Amino acid sequence: MRNRSSRIRRTAAVGGVLAVVLGTGTAGAATAAAAGSTAVVPCPRGFVCVSESPNGTGRVYHVAQGTRVVFTFPVAVNEVTNSTAVDYCVTGVSSYVLRPGETRSGPNDVRSLAPLPAGGVCPR
């Protein structure tokens, strides 16, 4: 019985994360620039957008400002745009801080996205 309730809780937690990540529309577009890179995939204000392909033909995850997401398996992405007002930690093969209004392009396997903690250091 204990294993079954753990499974149910785990499934509910994963469902909650997916609802946050996938349950948003793409109305409104914001462009961001960083190191000469311009966002190709529209990203609504108040979200961090993670795109599997640089031209937006693949899946695009929308993470609401202030939300932390940990993927069960690393997600292969080619563009991450921060259209929020807070710094975000992008953790993966290449980990970095993504500033508000910044876009990073290039292949990466992302494990998690989280607002930068108060201490200013991203978790590993």
Side-chain angles (χ1 to χ4, degrees), residues 13-59:
V14 170
V17 168
L18 288 175
V20 168
V21 173
L22 299 175
T24 61
T26 57
T31 57
S37 174
T38 302
V40 175
V41 179
C43 186
R45 187 181 328 243
F47 291 89
V48 175
C49 299
V50 180
S51 175
E52 290 181 344
S53 59
N55 59 5
T57 57
R59 189 177 351 221

Side-chain angles (χ1 to χ4, degrees), residues 37-120:
S37 174
T38 302
V40 175
V41 179
C43 186
R45 187 181 328 243
F47 291 89
V48 175
C49 299
V50 180
S51 175
E52 290 181 344
S53 59
N55 59 5
T57 57
R59 189 177 351 221
V60 178
Y61 300 91
H62 296 85
V63 180
Q65 179 171 310
T67 304
R68 178 176 188 264
V69 175
V70 177
F71 296 102
T72 304
F73 299 100
V75 175
V77 302
N78 278 296
E79 184 175 285
V80 183
T81 299
N82 185 353
S83 292
T84 72
V86 299
D87 293 337
Y88 257 80
C89 297
V90 179
T91 307
V93 171
S94 175
S95 298
Y96 51 87
V97 174
L98 191 67
R99 306 280 181 210
E102 184 178 9
T103 294
R104 292 271 182 113
S105 297
N108 191 10
D109 290 331
V110 174
R111 291 189 311 268
S112 68
L113 294 167
L116 183 68

